[in-house]
Structure formats: C-alpha cells, structure tokens
Amino acid sequence: MHRLYAYARTQDYLDVYCKRYEDGVRRWKKLKSENVCDATCQEICGMSRATYYRHKNILRDLDKGIDPPSKKPRKL
C-alpha cells in the first residue's frame, strides 16, 4: 500500500514540501545578501547552517522532481 501511495504522489504533494522548506531558505538568503553573519542568521531563522544547506538541497531536488529523503531510520 505504501509503495502505491509513493507512486501516486502528485505535484501538489511535492508543493507541500516546497512550502515547508522554502520559507527558511528564503529568509536565510535575504539575510546573507544583507551581509549578516551566520550566527545571526541562525538566531533569526531558527535553523543551523547545516540545516539550511540540507533544505536548500532538498528544494533543488524537488525542482528536478526528486522526492525528499525519507525520515525513516535506516536500521530498525
């Protein structure tokens, strides 16, 4: 059943993920364009630099049509 659901995902489903990650990435980029240091960006956006780059890569993959990474642990 899960595979069928994963196969039947629509663009609307991917748009939900885009909205989830887009806000923080957009705020971070705006702050960096104003020459704000990383520590201040972290405080304002509420996410670390590593999380920013993870979200940025997820958005790039979503634009290509690639599903976001699973939250399921690799080893159960």
Side-chain angles (χ1 to χ4, degrees):
M1 189 68 171
H2 176 69
R3 288 185 182 189
L4 177 63
Y5 173 73
Y7 179 75
R9 289 183 183 158
T10 62
Q11 187 62 36
D12 296 333
Y13 177 77
L14 296 177
D15 287 342
V16 171
Y17 275 104
C18 279
K19 290 176 185 175
R20 180 178 177 185
Y21 298 120
E22 224 170 32
D23 186 42
V25 171
R26 189 176 349 102
R27 281 188 285 155
W28 189 284
K29 283 182 181 179
K30 184 175 182 179
L31 290 169
K32 288 306 285 183
S33 69
E34 296 173 1
N35 295 325
V36 177
C37 69
D38 288 340
T40 308
C41 288
Q42 289 177 18
E43 291 175 14
I44 294 172
C45 294
M47 67 176 159
S48 68
R49 198 174 105 199
T51 303
Y52 161 72
Y53 284 109
R54 261 187 241 115
H55 288 186
K56 185 177 170 185
N57 288 334
I58 289 170
L59 284 173
R60 185 189 67 226
D61 290 344
L62 286 172
D63 287 340
K64 293 179 184 176
I66 300 171
D67 289 340
S70 174
K71 300 285 184 179
K72 179 181 172 185
R74 294 182 185 170
K75 292 184 179 181
L76 297 175

